[in-house]
Amino acid sequence: MDCSRSLSKTVITPLSLLLSSFCLLANFAAAFNFSTITFDQGYTPLFSDFNIIRSDDDKTVSLLLNRYSGSGFISSEYYNYGLFSAKIKLPSNYSAGIVVAFYTSNVDVFEKNHDELDFEFLGNIRGKPWRFQTNLYGNGSTSRGREERYSLWFDPTKQFHRYTILWTSRSIIFYVDEVPIREVIRNPAMGGDYPSKPMSLYATIWDASTWATSGGKYKVNYNFQPFVSDFTDLVLEGCTVDPIQKIPAAAAPCDRDTDALEADDINTISAEGRKAMSWFRERYMYYSYCYDLMRYPVPPPECVIVPAERHLFKDTGRLKEALKIKFGRHQKHRRRGSRRGRRDAGGAAATSF
C-alpha cells in the first residue's frame, strides 16, 4: 500500500487521521533489521523447566503458567549496555492476575542496589484489553519508581509483536513494533538512578493476583490454564561482561560495542519516529510518574514535560476522565450495540490498579 499516494487524495477526517497514523507506523516499523538467535545461543531456563516449551528449530520458546508454577528464562551472559528484543504473543484466554515480563536486571548479583528496565504486561478480565507498563530502576532505587502505563493499538494475543529495550550510556528507549514509545535521556542529576551496571535479560510469566488487576480484585482463574506466552525472533546485542570483575583491559571492546550501538539508527529517533511516539503517548498512555505531582511535587530530573501530554493528566499522573472518553479509552459509556467496541479493544482504557 502506498500510504502517501492514497492519503494525498483523502479528505481529512478522524478516520483518515487514524489511517495516516497507522501508515506512519507501518513505514517506520520497516526501518530495523535485527539479527536473531536461537534460544540455545543466548538463553538458559530460569525456573520451572517443565513449563518451558522450545520449538524444534529452537527459535521460539513458550512460557507456561499453570496451578503448579509460572516459568521463565534468562540470558546466558550479562551485558554492559545493549539491545534486547523479542516478538511476543500474550495469553489469549482469561488473563486477570497474570504478569508477563520482559526485562533486564542484575538483582541476582547486586541484591540491594540493583538496576532494572521493564516491560511488564498486565492481564485483565474478559472483554478488557491487556495493559502494560515500562519502568526503570537504578542502583536499587525501588522507592523511586519511574513507571508509565499504557494500552495498545492492537490485540497482543492475536499475533506476534516486537518489544525492544535499547540501553546505552546516554539514553534508554523502549520500542513496540519499532515505534519508540518512551525515551529516557541520561541526566547528570539522576546520579546512580540511571542504570549503569551489567544486566541480564529475563522473560517470565507468573501469578500476580495480589496486585496486577484492579489492585488484586481479580485473581488468576486456573480453570483457563495453561496460560501461554510465546517468544520468537530473539535478539541480544551488546558487550558481554563479568558483572563482578572489573578488568581495565576488558573495557576497550565494550567501548567499541557501545559506540557502535550508540551510532546505530535505532539510537536516533527520526522526525517520523517522534511523530509516532507522540501519537502513541497522547492516545495510549494512561499514567506517567512525570505528571504525578502527588508522588513527585518536583518531577525527577530526567522528566521532560510535554505540554501536549501534560494537559491530559490530573495531578495524580492519571488521565482526566473527560479525556478517557474523548480518546475512546473509557468503557463505561459502551452499552448496548457495543459488540464492535468490545472486539476492537486497541483504544480501550485499562483498568487502573
Side-chain angles (χ1 to χ4, degrees), residues 9 14 17 52 81 90 106 112 118 121 133 158 160 186 231-232 241 269 274 296 304 322 353:
K9 300 179 180 179
L17 289 173
I52 300 175
Y81 305 116
L90 299 176
N106 48 35
K112 295 182 179 180
D118 298 327
F121 303 94
Q133 66 180 19
K158 298 297 185 184
F160 283 98
R186 187 172 194 167
F231 297 76
T232 193
V241 298
I269 302 178
R274 293 206 175 274
Y296 301 110
V304 176
F353 62 93

Side-chain angles (χ1 to χ4, degrees), residues 237-255:
E237 294 185 8
C239 185
T240 59
V241 298
D242 186 326
I244 59 175
Q245 292 182 352
K246 296 181 179 180
I247 304 173
C254 280
D255 287 345

Side-chain angles (χ1 to χ4, degrees), residues 333-350:
H333 68 291
R334 297 184 185 275
R335 298 181 185 274
R336 294 182 179 179
S338 62
R339 292 182 181 178
R340 180 178 178 183
R342 287 197 297 270
R343 287 200 302 269
D344 184 11

Side-chain angles (χ1 to χ4, degrees), residues 123-149:
N124 218 329
I125 59 175
R126 187 181 298 278
K128 292 195 175 183
W130 276 82
R131 306 146 302 148
F132 75 105
Q133 66 180 19
T134 61
N135 208 342
L136 69 92
Y137 304 107
N139 206 33
S141 60
T142 54
S143 64
R144 299 185 296 279
R146 289 165 157 81
E147 69 270 28
E148 291 185 344
R149 299 169 188 155

